[in-house]
Structures are given as structure tokens and as C-alpha cells.
């Protein structure tokens, strides 16, 4: 999917295991806005609302090594 720079940063911060409050501060948004961003991001990624983005980013590999 075509993700914005903020969406990519958001996913990177989640993968870095930052807390929601840390991510909100770094993205300069309120906690409620962060929840909305996550909901929209899940929709854009085709994920159901019950999927945890932390689990998703943990299992997601941007680059796969070729063996």
C-alpha cells in the first residue's frame, strides 16, 4: 500500500517498541489522534481491527535475505 511518511514513521516507532505516549509525543499528536491513526493504518494495510500493530510489525520484514 501507499503509506505516508507519518504512517511509515508510526510503524517504525512501533517496531522500535516505543510506548504509545512516546509515539504520540514524537509525532506531535494527542493519544486520541494516535488511536485514529492506528485504525486508519490498519484499514490501509488490510488488517482487521483486532490485529495488534506491534505483533504485525514484529513479524513483518522489510527486506528478506535470499538464501
Amino acid at each position: 500500500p501507499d503509506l505516508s511518511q507519518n504512517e511509515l514513521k508510526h510503524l517504525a516507532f512501533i517496531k522500535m517498541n516505543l510506548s504509545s505516549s512516546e509515539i504520540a509525543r514524537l509525532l506531535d499528536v494527542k493519544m486520541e489522534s494516535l488511536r485514529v491513526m492506528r485504525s486508519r493504518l490498519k484499514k490501509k494495510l488490510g488488517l482487521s481491527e483486532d490485529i495488534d500493530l506491534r505483533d504485525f510489525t514484529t513479524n513483518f520484514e522489510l527486506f528478506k535475505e535470499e538464501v
Side-chain angles (χ1 to χ4, degrees), residues 4-5 11 13 16-18 25-26 28 30-32 35-36 39-40 53 55-56 60 62 64-65:
S4 71
Q5 288 295 327
L11 287 173
F13 292 150
M16 292 168 59
N17 207 28
L18 297 180
R25 188 173 34 86
L26 289 168
D28 195 27
K30 295 180 181 178
M31 290 296 291
E32 181 59 30
R35 281 189 278 279
V36 171
S39 178
R40 290 180 179 158
L53 282 174
D55 291 338
F56 173 78
F60 181 77
L62 188 54
K64 294 196 182 241
E65 280 188 45

Side-chain angles (χ1 to χ4, degrees), residues 50-65:
D50 61 329
I51 298 292
D52 183 78
L53 282 174
R54 204 165 297 280
D55 291 338
F56 173 78
T57 58
T58 300
N59 295 316
F60 181 77
E61 295 180 36
L62 188 54
F63 303 104
K64 294 196 182 241
E65 280 188 45

Side-chain angles (χ1 to χ4, degrees), residues 11-43:
L11 287 173
F13 292 150
I14 291 171
K15 188 157 180 79
M16 292 168 59
N17 207 28
L18 297 180
S19 70
S20 293
S21 59
E22 290 172 313
I23 294 170
R25 188 173 34 86
L26 289 168
L27 293 177
D28 195 27
V29 298
K30 295 180 181 178
M31 290 296 291
E32 181 59 30
S33 297
L34 191 65
R35 281 189 278 279
V36 171
M37 288 172 68
R38 287 184 176 169
S39 178
R40 290 180 179 158
L41 187 53
K42 287 178 185 182
K43 187 174 183 178

